[in-house]
Each structure stands twice: as C-alpha cells, then as structure tokens.
Amino acid sequence: MIEVKNIYKTFFVPHEVKALVNVSNTINVGEVVVVCGPSGSGKSTFLRCLNRLETAEQGQILVDGVDIFDPKNNINTVRAEMGMVFQSFNLYPHLNILGNVTIAQKLVRKRNKKQSEEIAMKLLEKVGIADKAHAYPSNLSGGQQQRVAIARALAMDPKIMLFDEPTSALDPEMIGEVLDVMKALAKEGMTM
C-alpha cells in the first residue's frame, strides 16, 4: 500500500536539521505500523511526507502504486484516499459536529447532504458520540473532539489512515476512548 524508498528531508530553520536520512519502509494493505522514537526524531515529518504535506528532497514514495512526487500525478487524488488525524483536533469551531464530518464529503466526494449526513451519523455512532452530532467542538472534551476528527477522516472512505500522536494532547482518562476506536479500525483491516 505504501512504499518508501530512501527519503531525505532537511529543515534549515534556524540551522540545518536532517529530519529524515535514507528512510525506507514498506507498509502492506491492512498492516498497522507504529513509528516510535524520541521528540524531534522525525516521526511527524515522516508521516507528513507520506501525504506530501512535507516534500522530501530525495527518494520516492509510492502510495497504492502512485509516485506522490511525480508532478504528473495529482497529489489531491492521493490525499483523498488517505485520512490523517493530527495531534490537534483541527475541527471547524463554527460548524457543529455533523457539519465537521460532512463538509469534506460534500466538497471532495461530491456527496449530497442526505448521503453525507447518513454516513456521518453512522461514523459518529461507530466512534461513540452520535448523541453529540449537533453540539459544537467547544462543548466536547478532548477525547470526544479527537473521535470526531477520526470520524471526519473515515467519512472520506480512505484506504489508509495516518495518526500523528492522536492521544498526546489528551488527559489520561480520554486516551482509552481514542485507542479503542483505533483498535477497532485495526481489527477491521484498515491500513494504519
């Protein structure tokens, strides 16, 4: 599903930092891979390179056979197949939870309102917060907001889910809620 070949990524602010040096990996369909290491070791940079939020200077990344660095390939088409959940929830504060989970479905997947709301409600039920569909992000706990972020990513029917420390901003009692959702996705065969 993902093939990473010898990627390099360097940052130059305020001085040169080699975040990724000759990194290679293969991630198969349905596989769950954990990237671990100390702060500053390049974990987030690696994930951000996988959907080209960061661009590696060298190497190659193939996602479902598509070279994401080839200018002939539309990166947005690749990104539409890849969900990403960040450390910060990145929910739209002016939209209720249902709106947060339906907006990309309408804009990117071109689903109508009824279809996108049906999918959103099924996913909100799956992550255990369907009763919060009409609440706003500011009225939810961190764990609930992160589960909305997961539902939003899943609403796009991704082939791959990327999680960038999705529990790091949560209180200890909220971590279990998010991990339970991630475990369920793994059991269903999601590539993560």
Side-chain angles (χ1 to χ4, degrees):
M1 183 60 71
I2 300 173
E3 192 171 355
V4 180
K5 300 177 183 176
N6 312 101
I7 62 168
Y8 289 78
K9 176 64 181 172
T10 305
F11 294 101
F12 295 97
V13 180
H15 57 281
E16 183 178 281
V17 175
K18 294 181 184 209
L20 302 173
V21 178
N22 198 26
V23 174
S24 297
N25 199 343
T26 299
I27 300 165
N28 298 307
V29 174
E31 192 172 8
V32 176
V33 176
V34 176
V35 180
C36 58
S39 180
S41 64
K43 302 178 301 290
S44 293
T45 300
F46 175 72
L47 284 176
R48 293 173 64 83
C49 283
L50 293 180
N51 63 8
R52 219 177 81 197
L53 291 175
E54 295 287 351
T55 303
E57 293 97 42
Q58 294 179 40
Q60 184 180 43
I61 298 177
L62 302 173
V63 175
D64 204 14
V66 176
D67 182 345
I68 67 167
F69 297 135
D70 186 336
K72 290 180 264 177
N73 295 322
N74 183 342
I75 187 60
N76 290 325
T77 302
V78 175
R79 285 181 183 142
E81 304 302 326
M82 190 179 303
M84 185 153 184
V85 178
F86 299 88
Q87 293 175 15
S88 55
F89 319 122
N90 296 324
L91 300 178
Y92 297 111
H94 65 289
L95 295 177
N96 66 18
I97 299 313
L98 190 61
N100 268 279
V101 181
T102 59
I103 190 168
Q105 292 184 67
K106 294 177 200 172
L107 297 174
V108 178
R109 293 287 189 209
K110 306 298 184 203
R111 294 178 182 147
N112 64 41
K113 180 180 180 184
K114 182 180 180 202
Q115 184 183 23
S116 62
E117 286 183 355
E118 286 173 2
I119 291 167
M121 289 307 297
K122 284 180 186 172
L123 290 169
L124 290 172
E125 188 173 315
K126 180 177 187 164
V127 300
I129 52 171
D131 61 322
K132 303 291 186 186
H134 299 289
Y136 284 83
S138 61
N139 300 117
L140 273 59
S141 70
Q144 290 170 325
Q145 289 185 56
Q146 194 62 294
R147 287 185 284 157
V148 171
I150 292 170
R152 180 180 56 191
L154 291 172
M156 301 301 290
D157 300 317
K159 295 178 182 176
I160 302 163
M161 285 289 289
L162 305 175
F163 293 93
D164 187 4
E165 298 188 46
T167 61
S168 66
L170 303 179
D171 294 331
E173 60 272 8
M174 303 294 173
I175 292 172
E177 298 174 2
V178 174
L179 291 179
D180 288 344
V181 172
M182 293 172 69
K183 286 182 216 172
L185 289 174
K187 285 180 184 172
E188 292 170 9
M190 177 64 74
T191 305
M192 303 192 315

